[in-house]
């Protein structure tokens, strides 16, 4: 063991210096100030209707009402009342690789904070030991002849500590913590994007399936009419042009059917990838617009709270905080650097005497370094840090503007989408009634074939538009929840919930997101 006298000397000099350095430290550079929220009380240029137009009797046509100031549920997609959709999102939260990568990036950033704290706030302590056999000529002692051969044993503990007089270390830790916040909100953004994409993907799948079914029904009716027209050709009541025109209409509907079939396959493949599966192995459920319920109560956050709810805005703010801290680090690098070092140990010619009363040695020292000339490097680094802060400030402003734009777009889309669905459902109903009447008149010989052809096209377009308008209501509702932040702050548990985790430590870290 080291002698008690050496330990007392080390304590009497070393620890007071550390305490003095900590107490006298001040952090240079600007202190971060959270940006004020935009000064506005509304999202849109004109006043919105609190109650949206309804279209009774069709999917997505139920009533919707904006509830100002209401909070958003964490699992907002459950408002669609679809067990298949809930199961799909649960699977995506367990298997989506992009979400897993964002979770891993957060853990990397958190460990970087721990590394910065350990490296910046605490002294560096190391232990060393050596054993050497040496030969030295007597001439080094001023003797004319002879030499000495001996063993030398040495052990020591070395301590190095950088006094954070100007707060450069604290600014470095502050910047690392802000970068961890960036990673945290990027994870929340990935979570929000994933859940919203699964919802809209399921709605798209359902819409394509409905449009495909509608086209199949229309194609069947067109094929039946083509057969009737061919029979009428044989008895001379219609011309060859009427037959070829109807067959052209049948062929065009077949092309539309193949297009819907292709797009439906694409939509299902996209859902498979979102849940982290190969398209061939995904076994995605089939969705139907008629089984989805349109959320009736739509929460509408006050504009001042939007900047605290959107993950992208929070990430941009954290990035601004990090760049602000790095300005402090660059400023501190221009100022004197204070260091203290100390060591305590023992040296002896034999291992048995290594910890004897006469083998102790110690040293303590302090140093100061003031950069004088480095070719303008430090000044350039500080100017670059200031420019990076200004860049982050503009990026934050752009992110806030984009957030308000997305909410305004979603609100207007919901308002006009409700009106469009009502008009589309009316058009579908009227065009079907008209086509049915004209087809009966045609079979009785009181209507021309051109009239049938015209109203067939009219009904086909109206039917497809109606299905598209129904899907738009569901998708626009999901877009509003996503634009308002998705309620991630009300979620219990981590964003990423993998079924199989490589180690217990990873599971515990991921659970603290």
């Amino acid at each position: 063991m080291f002698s008690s006298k050496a330990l007392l000397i080390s304590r009497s000099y070393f620890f007071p210096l550390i305490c003095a350095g900590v107490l006298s430290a001040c952090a240079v550079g600007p202190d971060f100030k959270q940006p004020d929220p935009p000064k506005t009380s509304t999202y849109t240029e004109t006043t919105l209707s609190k109650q949206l137009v309804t279209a009774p009797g069709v999917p997505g046509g139920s009533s919707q009402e904006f509830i100002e100031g209401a909070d958003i549920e964490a699992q907002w997609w459950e408002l669609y009342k679809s067990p298949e959709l809930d199961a799909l999102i649960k699977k995506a939260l367990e298997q989506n690789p992009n979400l897993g990568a964002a979770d891993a990036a957060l853990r990397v950033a958190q460990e970087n904070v721990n590394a910065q704290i350990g490296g910046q706030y605490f002294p560096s302590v190391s232990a060393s030991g050596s054993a050497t056999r040496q030969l030295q000529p007597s001439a080094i002692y001023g003797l004319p002849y002879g030499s000495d051969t001996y063993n030398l044993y040495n052990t020591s503990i070395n301590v190095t500590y950088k006094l954070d007089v100007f707060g450069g270390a604290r600014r470095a830790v502050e910047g690392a913590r802000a970068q961890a916040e960036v990673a945290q909100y990027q994870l929340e953004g990935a979570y929000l994007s994933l859940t919203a994409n699964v919802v809209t993907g399921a709605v798209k799948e359902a819409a394509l399936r409905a449009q495909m079914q509608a086209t199949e029904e229309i194609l069947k009716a067109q094929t039946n009419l083509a057969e009737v027209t061919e029979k009428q050709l044989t008895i001379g009541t219609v011309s060859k042009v009427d037959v070829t025109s109807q067959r052209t209409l049948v062929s065009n509907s077949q092309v539309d059917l193949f297009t819907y079939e292709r797009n439906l396959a694409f939509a299902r493949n996209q859902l498979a990838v979102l849940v982290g599966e190969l398209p061939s192995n995904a076994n995605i459920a089939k969705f139907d617009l008629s089984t989805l319920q349109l959320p009736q109560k739509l929460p509408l956050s006050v504009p001042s709270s939007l900047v605290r709810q959107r993950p992208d805005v929070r990430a941009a703010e954290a990035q601004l905080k990090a760049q602000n801290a790095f300005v402090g680090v660059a400023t501190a690098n221009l100022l004197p650097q204070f260091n203290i070092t100390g060591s305590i140990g023992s040296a002896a010619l034999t291992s048995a005497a290594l910890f004897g009363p006469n083998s102790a040695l110690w040293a303590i020292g302090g140093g100061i370094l003031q950069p004088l000339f480095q070719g303008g490097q430090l000044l350039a680094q500080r100017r670059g840090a200031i420019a990076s802060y200004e860049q982050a400030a503009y990026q934050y402003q752009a992110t806030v503007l984009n957030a308000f734009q997305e909410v305004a777009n979603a609100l207007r889309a919901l308002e006009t989408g409700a009106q469009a669905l009502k008009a589309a459902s009316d058009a579908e109903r009227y065009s079907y009634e008209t086509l049915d009447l004209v087809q009966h008149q045609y079979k009785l010989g009181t209507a021309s074939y051109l009239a049938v052809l015209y109203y067939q096209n009219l009904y086909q377009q109206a039917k497809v538009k109606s299905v598209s308008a129904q899907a738009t209501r569901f998708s626009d509702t999901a877009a509003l929840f996503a634009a308002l932040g998705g309620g991630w702050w009300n979620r219990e548990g981590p964003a990423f919930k993998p079924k199989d985790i490589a180690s217990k430590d990873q599971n515990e870290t991921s659970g603290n997101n």
Side-chain angles (χ1 to χ4, degrees):
M1 292 187 138
F2 302 123
S3 68
S4 58
K5 181 179 180 181
L7 289 172
L8 288 173
I9 293 174
S10 174
R11 291 175 180 174
S12 63
Y13 283 93
F14 184 66
F15 291 105
L17 284 175
I18 295 179
C19 295
V22 172
L23 292 175
S24 62
C26 59
V28 296
D31 292 329
F32 179 73
K33 181 182 178 182
Q34 187 181 70
D36 295 327
K39 296 180 179 179
T40 180
S41 57
T42 59
Y43 290 104
T44 56
E45 185 177 6
T46 57
T47 304
L48 284 169
S49 301
K50 291 186 178 181
Q51 193 81 29
L52 298 181
V53 175
T54 62
V58 298
S62 58
S63 63
Q64 285 187 310
E65 179 184 5
F66 294 116
I67 309 299
E68 295 184 2
D71 201 6
I72 302 174
E73 296 183 19
Q75 284 78 36
W76 54 268
W77 53 86
E78 294 180 354
L79 297 174
Y80 286 89
K81 306 297 182 181
S82 171
E84 295 81 10
L85 179 60
D86 297 343
L88 198 65
I89 291 181
K90 180 182 178 181
K91 191 175 183 181
L93 295 177
E94 294 175 347
Q95 299 183 173
N96 182 268
N98 292 328
L99 189 63
D103 179 76
L106 172 59
R107 287 184 276 113
V108 169
Q110 290 171 336
E111 294 305 327
N112 287 339
V113 174
N114 295 333
Q116 283 286 349
I117 292 174
Q120 299 286 353
Y121 286 172
F122 296 95
S124 173
V125 182
S126 60
S128 63
S130 64
T132 59
R133 184 169 177 79
Q134 299 183 6
L135 171 64
Q136 290 185 343
S138 300
I140 65 173
Y141 303 114
L143 301 177
Y145 59 85
S147 61
D148 292 326
T149 302
Y150 59 92
N151 297 329
L152 180 63
Y153 299 89
N154 180 279
T155 61
S156 65
I157 295 178
N158 304 296
V159 180
T160 303
Y161 184 71
K162 181 179 178 181
L163 297 177
D164 190 23
V165 176
F166 298 105
R170 277 174 290 163
R171 292 301 190 195
V173 173
E174 179 184 334
R177 283 182 171 141
Q179 293 285 13
E181 290 182 22
V182 173
Q184 176 186 352
Y185 293 122
Q186 286 176 341
L187 171 61
E188 297 298 348
Y191 170 89
L192 175 59
S193 177
L194 175 61
T195 53
N197 286 339
V198 172
V199 172
T200 55
V203 170
K204 182 178 180 181
E205 197 266 1
L208 288 169
R209 190 176 301 281
Q211 290 172 331
M212 187 174 175
Q213 292 173 351
T215 304
E216 288 175 344
E217 294 174 1
I218 293 170
L219 177 60
K220 183 178 180 180
Q222 290 173 343
T223 303
N224 291 337
L225 186 59
E227 293 173 354
V228 171
T229 306
E230 287 179 347
K231 292 178 180 179
Q232 291 178 337
L233 176 64
T234 59
I235 61 177
T237 58
V238 297
S239 66
K240 182 67 175 179
V241 174
D242 295 335
V243 175
T244 56
S245 298
Q246 184 64 27
R247 283 299 178 186
T248 299
L249 194 61
V250 169
S251 297
N252 286 334
S253 296
Q254 289 175 335
V255 171
D256 293 338
L257 192 62
F258 291 137
T259 301
Y260 288 131
E261 185 177 356
R262 180 197 64 179
N263 292 340
L264 178 61
F266 288 175
R268 293 182 63 79
N269 292 342
Q270 183 184 28
L271 285 174
V273 172
L274 287 174
V275 300
E277 294 277 5
L278 295 173
S280 57
N281 302 334
N283 193 24
I284 300 297
K286 295 180 180 180
F287 292 93
D288 191 334
L289 289 177
S290 62
T291 62
L292 297 176
Q293 292 190 24
L294 194 68
Q296 296 183 357
K297 304 294 184 181
L298 299 179
L300 186 57
S301 308
V302 295
S304 59
S305 64
L306 181 65
V307 294
R308 312 309 306 161
Q309 296 178 180
R310 292 266 304 207
D312 55 345
V313 176
R314 296 292 295 271
E317 180 184 322
Q319 185 63 38
L320 183 64
K321 185 190 299 184
Q323 295 303 327
N324 180 82
F326 295 151
V327 173
V329 173
T331 303
N333 290 338
L334 295 169
L335 302 173
Q337 311 295 316
F338 297 89
N339 295 279
I340 56 175
T341 59
S343 65
I344 183 172
S346 62
L349 297 177
T350 64
S351 59
L354 187 59
F355 298 105
N358 298 318
S359 63
L361 56 86
W362 61 268
I364 189 168
I368 180 172
L369 173 66
Q370 171 60 59
L372 296 179
F373 178 75
Q374 295 188 8
Q377 177 186 3
L378 298 180
L379 288 173
Q381 289 175 344
R382 185 175 185 274
R383 291 194 298 268
I386 294 174
S388 295
Y389 174 81
E390 294 175 354
Q391 178 187 12
Y394 284 120
Q395 290 173 339
Y396 174 81
Q397 294 176 12
T399 305
V400 171
L401 290 173
N402 180 70
F404 276 80
Q405 178 188 358
E406 288 186 358
V407 175
N409 289 347
L411 292 173
R412 284 304 180 196
L414 282 167
E415 185 179 48
T416 58
Q419 297 168 345
L421 176 57
K422 184 178 186 307
S425 62
D426 290 342
E428 178 191 355
R429 183 175 69 256
Y430 294 144
S431 62
Y432 176 78
E433 292 175 357
T434 304
L435 175 61
D436 186 58
L437 291 172
V438 172
Q439 285 178 336
H440 281 295
Q441 292 174 355
Y442 176 71
K443 292 177 182 179
L444 296 175
T446 59
S448 68
Y449 172 74
L450 291 177
V452 175
L453 189 64
Y454 173 77
Y455 288 110
Q456 277 184 337
N457 283 324
L458 202 63
Y459 173 67
Q460 183 177 10
Q461 294 174 5
K463 179 65 175 178
V464 171
K465 284 183 178 180
S466 178
V467 173
S468 179
Q470 294 168 22
T472 298
R473 289 295 307 279
F474 291 106
S475 298
D476 288 344
T477 300
L480 177 64
F481 281 107
L484 293 174
W488 58 268
W489 54 92
N490 292 322
R491 185 188 66 242
E492 295 181 0
F496 183 53
K497 303 176 182 178
K499 291 187 294 186
D500 300 319
I501 301 181
S503 66
K504 180 181 178 182
D505 291 340
Q506 182 182 4
N507 189 13
E508 291 175 351
T509 304
S510 179
N512 293 326
N513 291 350

